[in-house]
Amino acid sequence: QDAPLTLCSFALPARQFRMPVSQRQALRASRARAFSTACVVALSLGLIVGAWPLVFTAGNSHLPYVVGTHHSGGTLAASTAAGPWRQRASGSLMARKALNVDLSGKVAFVAGVADTSGYGWAIVRELANAGATVIVGTWPPVLKLFQMTLKKSATDEARKLDDGSLLNIEKIYPLDATFDVPEDVPEDIKTNKRYAGVGAFTIQETVEQIKQDYGKVDILVHSLANGPEVTKPLLETSRKGYLAASSSSAYSLVSMVSRFAPIMPKGSSVVSLSYIASERVIPGYGGGMSSAKAQLESDTRTLAWEAGRKYGIRVNTISAGPLKSRAASAIGGDGKKTFIERAIDYAVTNAPLTNPLYAENVGTSALCLLSDLMAGVTGVTLYVDMGLHAMGQGIDSPAFEGLNIGGQAADES
């Protein structure tokens, strides 16, 4: 309980018994000074006593006097048990125990999810953990397969949330982000058996369906990339293949932000996924994909400005390290190892942090960017790659043979 604030009082005589005026004035002044001094002392003691539980519990994991709470929508607010003194104390005497994110009431649309092994799925899981209503967009040719996969018990572990419940995707929309409106869809796609029976799948049609179903989108995630000639060196990439990579992997973000923004409330957030090939040479990541990732990061900055001013939404991207997902494994290799396996080996050997990169690392980073914890951040490329982006040389190079660098023992052979 709060320590009571004690004020001192004095019993003054009803009459002054014919004391001279000068003496009465002096007595009043003396008593006033004593009263003021007593009040200051009492106030100080009251504050110290009241603050003492705060100091005493600063190392207590339960923090009973200062509690971090959130209102629906994920806005972080530091609240206190009672009184302005404790509000001040929470900032000056103690740090928050934790920063929790509550996305209850938020609608999150994650585009580009088709399995439970990639970064897109990891983001879906973290958003669901935080209480968001999660809906996804899946490429039509694999839509039915993905829906069937989620019904199998083999995915239960991947669907398990932190509270033990199973992740429930509210709705899966067919989405081919290569096409903005129905008029863009060529005849060979319209008649393709892999697209048969899925319904509307262009970006604008998806926006309209989500608006009808949920009324809004608070969180938009672009987890899309496709380069039909990704295994070809840039010198051998055709114009068609290069532009296809740009269209699917970069312009799709521009189109999605443009078309989703009108149904996104002010304060909403967008995150996309990039790769270090946008700014460094990564042999084997070809077909114009490195160019597409560079476009994606450049467009992120411009969209942050334009969408920020016009709609009040934030746009960021994550440059994620290599992960052996289904999509990455399809890039191919030299017969011994796939491209992504070699990329992972290189990263573990040369990154400042030698821990393997897990999808969860990107998932939690995306959650932070998408929540109000990062309300002041937009237009950034956040590297989640164990620090690999910072390296200028590979320490496994023969040039460093015999040197004790990077915490490795010197070669004594």
Side-chain angles (χ1 to χ4, degrees), residues 18-347:
R18 299 177 182 176
M19 186 178 292
V21 175
S22 60
Q23 291 184 14
R24 291 201 301 270
Q25 291 176 340
L27 179 61
R28 290 193 187 102
S30 175
R31 287 172 172 170
R33 286 193 297 270
F35 181 78
S36 298
T37 301
C39 287
V40 169
V41 172
L43 179 61
S44 299
L45 288 173
L47 291 180
I48 291 172
V49 173
W52 174 247
L54 291 174
V55 179
F56 183 76
T57 59
N60 190 321
S61 62
H62 295 89
L63 300 185
Y65 286 86
V66 180
V67 182
T69 62
H70 313 272
H71 62 69
S72 178
T75 300
L76 179 68
S79 68
T80 56
W85 162 246
R86 285 181 177 170
Q87 292 176 350
R88 290 193 295 273
S90 67
S92 60
L93 299 180
M94 297 192 306
R96 294 186 181 95
K97 177 189 175 186
L99 295 173
N100 296 318
V101 178
D102 182 4
L103 298 180
S104 301
K106 299 290 187 180
V107 177
F109 179 64
V110 184
V113 181
D115 58 50
T116 60
S117 66
Y119 289 137
W121 179 263
I123 296 173
V124 164
R125 185 179 179 279
E126 294 304 327
L127 291 171
N129 263 328
T133 297
V134 182
I135 53 181
V136 305
T138 301
W139 191 44
V142 299
L143 175 62
K144 293 181 180 179
L145 177 62
F146 181 47
Q147 290 173 326
M148 290 188 294
T149 299
L150 292 179
K151 295 178 181 179
K152 297 180 179 179
S153 59
T155 64
D156 285 354
E157 188 62 31
R159 293 175 57 209
K160 187 176 295 185
L161 299 178
D162 290 350
D163 62 2
S165 64
L166 294 182
L167 188 159
N168 178 44
I169 296 177
E170 294 288 333
K171 188 171 182 178
I172 303 176
Y173 295 85
L175 174 67
D176 190 330
T178 306
F179 308 112
D180 298 326
V181 294
E183 293 74 22
D184 294 341
V185 183
E187 192 62 31
D188 63 325
I189 294 295
K190 292 178 180 179
T191 58
N192 191 313
K193 293 181 180 179
R194 303 176 75 189
Y195 285 77
V198 300
F201 55 80
T202 65
I203 294 177
Q204 185 59 45
E205 289 173 308
T206 303
V207 171
E208 293 169 357
Q209 290 180 63
I210 293 175
K211 181 180 180 181
Q212 181 178 345
D213 294 340
Y214 298 94
K216 64 169 184 173
V217 167
D218 303 281
I219 292 169
L220 179 63
V221 179
H222 179 279
S223 180
L224 298 164
N226 182 48
E229 299 180 15
V230 66
T231 58
K232 292 184 179 180
L234 187 59
L235 284 173
E236 298 175 15
T237 300
S238 68
R239 180 184 297 271
K240 182 179 179 180
Y242 184 97
L243 295 177
S246 175
S247 175
S248 297
S249 309
Y251 183 76
S252 55
L253 173 66
V254 177
S255 179
M256 286 178 62
V257 174
S258 173
R259 297 173 187 278
F260 273 93
I263 67 168
M264 298 180 73
K266 185 177 180 180
S268 297
S269 185
V270 180
V271 160
S272 63
L273 296 177
S274 188
Y275 184 46
I276 193 63
S278 63
E279 55 186 280
R280 299 284 189 269
V281 177
I282 307 294
Y285 194 71
M289 280 303 301
S290 58
S291 307
K293 291 302 185 182
Q295 286 177 264
L296 182 77
E297 294 181 13
S298 177
D299 291 342
T300 293
R301 293 184 286 272
T302 303
L303 289 171
W305 158 252
E306 295 183 358
R309 284 304 181 100
K310 187 172 184 179
Y311 298 105
I313 65 178
R314 300 182 296 112
V315 185
N316 296 292
T317 190
I318 292 176
S319 181
L323 177 76
K324 193 175 180 181
S325 64
R326 180 189 59 81
S329 298
I331 295 178
D334 56 11
K336 297 180 180 180
K337 288 186 175 182
T338 63
F339 163 82
I340 197 63
E341 288 172 336
R342 293 191 180 277
I344 292 172
D345 289 344
Y346 180 85

